[in-house]
Amino acid sequence: MSDRTGIFAGDDPFAIARSWLAEAEASEPNDPNAIALSTVDAQGMPNARMVLLKDIEDAAFVFYTNYTSAKAQEIEHGGKAAFVMHWKSLRRQIRVRGTVTREDGPQADAYYASRSLKSRLGAWASQQSQPLASRAALMAEVAKVTASHGPMPARPPFWGGFRIAPVEIEFWADGAFRLHDRFCWRREKISDPWSIKRLNP
Ligand SMILES: Cc1cc2nc3c(=O)[nH]c(=O)nc-3n(C[C@H](O)[C@H](O)[C@H](O)COP(=O)(O)O)c2cc1C
C-alpha cells in the first residue's frame, strides 16, 4: 500500500505542483513561481538561469522569453530542458525534465497583452543575451520602440512562450535529520502512463 499521503496525496503531479505553488504564494517573500531553468548548449555545456513559471497546465509547464536568447537557442537545438523550483519558506522543491515546444499562438498574445506597457515595450527593445554597449543604448532603444509601436504594441515575433511537457517530475520535502521525502513520477514518453516511486533521500 502506498504511503504517499498529505502534501504528496493524489496521482496527478500537475495538481500537486499547483497546490504547492499556491502554498508558496502565501509564504514566499517574492517570486514564488521562479524556476531555475536548465539547458545544454551545442557543445554539451550545461547552462542555467531563473525564469518565471507562468502556467501549470493540465499536462505542461509554460514560461515566456525571447526566442533569440541563449536559452531559446539551446532549447531549440536539443528540444529538451529541465527546471527546479525551491521554496525556502516551505523547504520543498519540484524537479522537472521534459521536451519543449513553442507557445507562440493566441495564449502567448494574451499573456503579452496582460503585461505592463513598459514590459511590453521592453520586450521589443531588448536583444536578450546579445552584447549591449551601455545602459544609455538600451534606453535609446526603448525610446525608439515607444515611438514606433505606440500604446498598443503587438507581441514581438521573437518573443513568446515555451511549453515543457515532462517525462519526469519529482517532489521533495524536507524531513528531520536529512531523511527527506521524495516521490518521482516518471514515463518513457509523454504518451505513456506515469510510474510513481518513492526514492531514497
Ligand atoms: C527571479 C528571476 C526571474 C526571471 N524571469 C525571467 C523570465 O520569465 N523570462 C526571461 O526571459 N528571463 C527571466 N529572467 C532573466 C534570466 O534569468 C536571464 O538573465 C535571461 O533570460 C537571459 O538568459 P539566457 O542568456 O540564458 O537566455 C529572470 C531572472 C530572475 C532572477
Side-chain angles (χ1 to χ4, degrees):
M1 205 189 83
S2 166
D3 64 345
R4 194 163 45 76
T5 55
I7 59 170
F8 297 101
D11 285 345
D12 177 1
F14 300 97
I16 298 175
R18 257 180 246 117
S19 145
W20 284 27
L21 178 56
E23 274 187 76
E25 278 163 1
S27 59
E28 285 288 296
N30 56 49
D31 294 336
N33 58 333
I35 63 177
L37 175 78
S38 164
T39 51
V40 178
D41 76 10
Q43 284 70 46
M45 177 69 90
N47 207 350
R49 81 292 284 156
M50 306 304 296
V51 296
L52 296 178
L53 187 62
K54 284 295 165 182
D55 225 343
I56 303 179
E57 301 178 333
D58 288 347
F61 298 89
V62 181
F63 69 91
Y64 290 86
T65 193
N66 181 306
Y67 289 140
T68 65
S69 67
K71 79 180 82 52
Q73 290 176 35
E74 290 166 6
I75 284 171
E76 299 202 307
H77 181 259
K80 294 174 185 148
F83 71 78
V84 60
M85 58 200 317
H86 169 238
W87 298 291
K88 289 182 191 295
S89 59
L90 299 179
R91 296 175 189 270
R92 292 186 213 163
Q93 75 172 344
I94 302 178
R95 296 166 64 181
V96 171
R97 305 168 77 201
T99 54
V100 189
T101 50
R102 279 191 187 199
E103 168 46 65
D104 57 0
Q107 204 171 312
D109 292 339
Y111 172 61
Y112 181 78
S114 77
R115 304 174 86 214
S116 72
L117 180 58
K118 286 212 158 100
S119 299
R120 280 178 279 159
L121 291 167
W124 273 104
S126 170
Q127 294 178 34
Q128 194 176 55
S129 314
Q130 297 303 313
L132 177 62
S134 63
R135 179 95 200 159
L138 178 61
M139 298 325 284
E141 198 54 38
V142 170
K144 206 166 97 188
V145 299
T146 301
S148 59
H149 291 280
M152 288 292 287
R155 178 174 60 84
F158 54 82
W159 189 98
F162 281 112
R163 174 173 286 113
I164 304 179
V167 290
E168 199 172 303
I169 308 181
E170 183 195 312
F171 297 88
W172 180 104
D174 185 69
F177 308 108
R178 302 280 186 265
L179 297 177
H180 316 297
D181 286 309
R182 298 175 66 188
F183 287 97
C184 188
W185 274 243
R186 197 171 281 152
R187 56 188 177 187
E188 276 294 309
K189 303 190 298 298
I190 302 303
S191 52
D192 289 345
W194 291 113
S195 123
I196 311 171
K197 289 203 165 64
R198 182 187 267 277
L199 303 178
N200 273 276

